[in-house]
Every structure is written in structure tokens, then in C-alpha cells.
Amino acid sequence: MSADLQTVWLTVLLASVTTLMLLFLATPLAWWLANSASRLRSIFESLVAMPLVLPPTVLGFYLLVLLNPDSFLGGLWVRATGESLTFSFGGLVIASVIYSLPFMVQPLQSAFRAVPMSVRESAAVMGASPRDCFFSVILPLARRGFLTGIVLTFAHTIGEFGVVLMMGGNIPGETRVLSIAIYEHVETLNYDAAHVLALGLMGFSFLSLWLVYRVAGRGAEVFRG
């Protein structure tokens, strides 16, 4: 089980890094989408939501084409770092950030929209700058959206398969995550090991969804109250 434990650790590390990066990248994007009146908003909303309907292998394939060492971006990375983005942990992070983007952006966007305009206006009347209003008033009121986005992003990254397989392959200790390990165990008829990992993921998925619905239910009670 030592190889599987290493796989669990790598998967948790990938999910943690992806969630942390998206927390910083998705917050300003979600704020803009929640408040912008630009005609481009619907285009950006569609781009953000595309991973929800796009087959993971399609996204993984084009990331592989875009970031391989012979491409412009991939070549720049190789010259700067001496390493390739494809079939590496760094490449998995980029793929996971793009694939999990809507799971962070959409809960935050909904949470920002749910903050009453009167609250912002009251903060402005009391002399709060837009920055103070955002950090001292809006973020605390949107905390349930942040918690939902964090849980969904982390859980979604844990269960990724198609994107990480296309972008990272199956390199033990480098790109071999839980979903790929389960697939490999089934291919080799090692059903006992597959059961252990699969049941663990099922339990984790249930707890993640329970937490999301629990938070969403409490949020609804607060707004009704």
C-alpha cells in the first residue's frame, strides 16, 4: 500500500495547491462577473463554465498541444526552468486550475450577487472606501460562498481523471493520482486495492456534498431570517 499512500498524498497536494490558487484567481473574476454590466460578461461566463460541459479529454488534449515542449508556451517554460510542463506535477496544477475554475467562480459569483446593494451603500455613506467595503463587509457576508467553492474545488480536483491522464500520464510519485490508480488496479484485476481507494473516494465525495448542502441550507436560513 506504500505506492497507494504516496498516490493519496500526491492527490491531496494537487487538490490543495489547485484550491489555493483558484481562491486568489477566482475571487476578482467572480466579483467582476457579479457586478459588471459589460457586454463581454456573458462571453467570460461561458468560457468559465465550459469545463462543466466539455469532455475532460478534449480539454486535456488541447492543453497537451498548447503546453508541450515544442509549442511556444511550452518551449518558453522549458527554456526558463529546464523542465517540461507536460507529464509533470506543474502541468497537472495548470490543468486542474482550468478544469476546476467554475467550481470556485460560480459559488463566489452567486455569493457576491446575494449581498444587498443597500449594505454596500450604507458602508459607503459611513465613509468606507471600496477596498474597505469589500474586505470588511462583502467578504464576511460571502463567506458561505467561499466555503462552498473551496469544498467543491477540492473535491472536484480529487476526482479528476481525463484531464490529468491526458496532461500527466501515470508516473508514480509525479503524476499518478487516485483516479488513475483506481483505473490501473482495475486493469490489473487488483480489485481489492481498487475497492479500498474507490470506497475512500465515495466516502469523501459524500462528506463533501453533505458539507456543501449543510452550508447552503444555513445560508438560506440566514437570508430568510
Side-chain angles (χ1 to χ4, degrees):
M1 284 295 293
S2 58
D4 284 342
L5 289 176
Q6 185 183 46
T7 298
V8 171
W9 161 246
L10 184 67
T11 306
V12 172
L13 179 62
L14 176 64
S16 300
V17 173
T18 299
T19 301
L20 185 61
M21 289 184 66
L22 278 177
L23 188 60
F24 288 98
L25 294 174
T27 298
L29 177 58
W31 175 253
W32 181 80
L33 291 175
N35 295 279
S36 175
S38 171
R39 294 180 179 179
L40 297 177
R41 188 183 68 181
S42 60
I43 295 177
F44 280 96
E45 285 180 323
S46 300
L47 289 173
V48 168
M50 277 187 68
L52 296 175
V53 297
L54 196 65
T57 50
V58 173
L59 180 59
F61 169 69
Y62 281 110
L63 285 174
L64 191 63
V65 171
L66 184 65
L67 299 177
N68 78 83
D70 294 327
S71 69
F72 175 73
L73 292 177
L76 284 178
W77 182 265
V78 170
R79 288 192 290 273
T81 66
E83 298 179 358
S84 172
L85 279 173
T86 53
F87 304 105
S88 69
F89 184 78
L92 289 189
V93 170
I94 294 175
S96 298
V97 165
I98 295 174
Y99 190 50
S100 293
L101 183 63
F103 292 88
M104 183 67 81
V105 170
Q106 292 185 351
L108 293 183
Q109 185 180 350
S110 298
F112 289 147
R113 283 178 175 169
V115 177
M117 183 59 67
S118 58
V119 173
R120 307 183 199 178
E121 293 172 348
S122 298
V125 169
M126 295 176 66
S129 66
R131 179 179 178 180
D132 290 336
C133 180
F134 182 77
F135 284 101
S136 301
V137 178
I138 294 172
L139 286 188
L141 290 175
R143 64 186 181 277
R144 298 184 189 279
F146 277 93
L147 180 57
T148 299
I150 289 170
V151 172
L152 286 179
T153 300
F154 190 90
H156 183 253
T157 305
I158 289 286
E160 287 177 10
F161 177 74
V163 169
V164 295
L165 181 62
M166 293 291 289
M167 190 65 185
N170 183 15
I171 305 173
E174 182 73 21
T175 64
R176 187 174 186 255
V177 294
L178 275 172
S179 56
I180 295 175
I182 293 172
Y183 179 77
E184 184 180 34
H185 285 321
V186 172
E187 269 197 323
T188 58
L189 304 181
N190 188 0
Y191 288 168
D192 289 339
H195 274 305
V196 172
L197 297 181
L199 287 173
L201 279 181
M202 287 181 64
F204 174 76
S205 299
F206 173 80
L207 290 175
S208 299
L209 290 173
W210 173 82
L211 180 58
V212 167
Y213 285 120
R214 183 80 172 177
V215 169
R218 288 182 177 178
E221 291 173 6
V222 169
F223 282 109
R224 283 198 299 269

